[in-house]
Amino acid sequence: MRKKPVKEALDGKAAACYCSLAIRGDQQTEERTMYVITGITGQVGGVVGRALLAAKKLVRAVVRNADKGREWSERGCEVALATIEDAASLTAAFKGAEAVFILVPPIFDPQPEFPEARAIGAALRSALDAARPGRVVYLSTIGAQASQPNLLSQHSIIEKAISTLPMPLTVLRPGWFMENCGWDVAPARERGVIPSFLQPLDKPVPMVATADIGKVAAEILQEQWSGQRVVELEGPKRVTPNDVGATFARLLEKPVRMEVVPRESWEALFRSQGMKNPLPRIRMLDGFNEGWITFEQGEAGTRKGNTTLESVLKELM
């Protein structure tokens, strides 16, 4: 079967926008007024896209298929089709960009040695090197500097792959997503008991809302800087698992408590849920619990968001 070129799959307004961009490519490269957003259909990327549009910036939405791009085309964005593993389509999407925001879709059950992340890193490096955008913001994670292999090492690999590029680069490393508590809504409501892999239950964890991540990413994209830098981001205060339970109890107006999931049960549990290679996830949880997945610059060196855990849980409920 013949593989469809990226432009062929676009139709309507999206196609017109992309073709218009291609025609005036040299001018666009010179003016560098376009902000390119990958992952724009997700929570964080959506916040970035809406913030830039509100700031009257030109936005190019990078999506995997035309249907997902239609909403953003209607909002006034140019739309480009690309996949995060394909250097050619990414190069076309990044061409002429003032700034590029890169969000890599999460891989929760990677193969040993993380070949998926290595392929993505190579594709991103090739595309950025060819397109030469004005600056880049890469959404990474807390603990990407950790030496012990774990699920978050995928970001370490990608960070390293793009770190030798000549354009200004900001690596944004947020803490644990507050939205991960979405898994806790049903057990809190139904049983009043929430299983916790984060332990001990009174250990504060750097958490942050996706709204704050997107807001800060949009702000950084509009900044001017030189060289490479790391920005670490967390919420207004650190959160213990017991805080999560207490917040649910307050919102549900019923008793809710956290319950430790024994470490020795994790592998069998994760495999029963369909994971083929649970070790990276286990080691990530170990890293948070043992303290070696942390912010490189410490709590005093982090940027702070404003969104509280309570407001996130209200939205999730």
Side-chain angles (χ1 to χ4, degrees), residues 16-306:
C17 289
Y18 196 98
C19 291
S20 173
L21 174 66
I23 290 170
R24 64 177 194 273
D26 293 340
Q27 178 185 349
Q28 190 70 42
T29 300
E30 182 180 347
E31 293 178 354
R32 290 193 182 281
T33 59
M34 184 66 66
Y35 288 76
V36 178
I37 311 299
T38 66
I40 199 167
T41 59
Q43 288 179 300
V44 173
V47 174
V48 177
R50 289 188 293 274
L52 291 173
L53 288 172
K56 308 301 182 185
K57 302 298 182 182
L58 296 177
V59 176
R60 185 180 305 147
V62 182
V63 296
R64 296 181 68 93
N65 62 67
D67 286 340
K68 288 191 172 184
R70 193 161 286 112
E71 171 194 349
W72 291 95
S73 176
E74 292 170 354
R75 290 175 181 266
C77 295
E78 292 191 356
V79 176
L81 291 186
T83 60
I84 205 69
E85 309 88 357
D86 181 60
S89 61
L90 288 174
T91 300
F94 295 165
K95 280 286 187 182
E98 167 75 14
V100 173
F101 175 69
I102 297 175
L103 186 157
V104 174
I107 300 174
F108 296 111
D109 192 16
Q111 297 179 49
E113 306 300 325
F114 309 111
E116 304 94 340
R118 298 184 192 282
I120 291 170
L124 285 170
R125 193 193 186 290
S126 175
L128 291 169
D129 191 39
R132 296 295 174 104
R135 53 191 179 274
V136 176
V137 175
Y138 174 70
L139 182 61
S140 184
T141 178
I142 183 176
Q145 79 282 359
S147 58
Q148 296 94 322
N150 69 93
L151 192 63
L152 305 182
S153 297
Q154 297 173 93
H155 288 292
S156 313
I157 291 166
I158 297 171
E159 278 191 26
K160 184 177 180 180
I162 64 176
S163 65
T164 57
L165 292 166
M167 71 282 299
L169 169 66
T170 293
V171 173
L172 179 58
R173 293 180 181 168
W176 183 279
F177 284 20
M178 290 181 184
E179 281 76 6
N180 289 336
C181 293
W183 297 102
D184 301 333
V185 173
R189 277 183 170 149
E190 295 166 9
R191 299 193 297 118
V193 179
I194 300 173
S196 179
F197 296 94
L198 293 174
Q199 41 199 261
L201 298 180
D202 59 354
K203 184 179 186 297
V205 179
M207 295 190 185
V208 65
T210 55
D212 284 340
I213 300 171
K215 177 185 176 183
V216 169
E219 291 171 354
I220 294 173
L221 282 164
Q222 298 173 78
E223 294 174 359
Q224 298 289 337
W225 73 92
S226 60
Q228 298 180 11
R229 61 179 180 170
V230 172
V231 174
E232 297 178 312
L233 176 65
E234 59 181 311
K237 60 177 289 187
R238 298 198 168 180
V239 177
T240 69
N242 281 335
D243 290 334
V244 174
T247 305
F248 269 115
R250 188 163 58 251
L251 294 174
L252 292 170
E253 298 181 338
K254 59 177 280 187
V256 177
R257 64 179 176 86
M258 306 300 290
E259 183 177 80
V260 166
V261 180
R263 167 68 166 73
E264 61 271 17
S265 71
W266 291 357
E267 181 173 359
L269 176 61
F270 295 157
R271 289 190 182 278
S272 73
Q273 294 171 345
M275 293 191 72
K276 297 178 180 179
N277 181 31
L279 182 59
R281 181 181 178 188
I282 291 171
R283 291 300 291 152
M284 176 193 71
L285 292 167
D286 286 341
F288 277 100
N289 295 340
E290 296 168 8
W292 49 266
I293 288 182
T294 187
F295 285 125
E296 195 168 18
Q297 302 170 69
E299 186 172 1
T302 61
R303 195 159 169 170
K304 308 297 191 295
N306 298 316

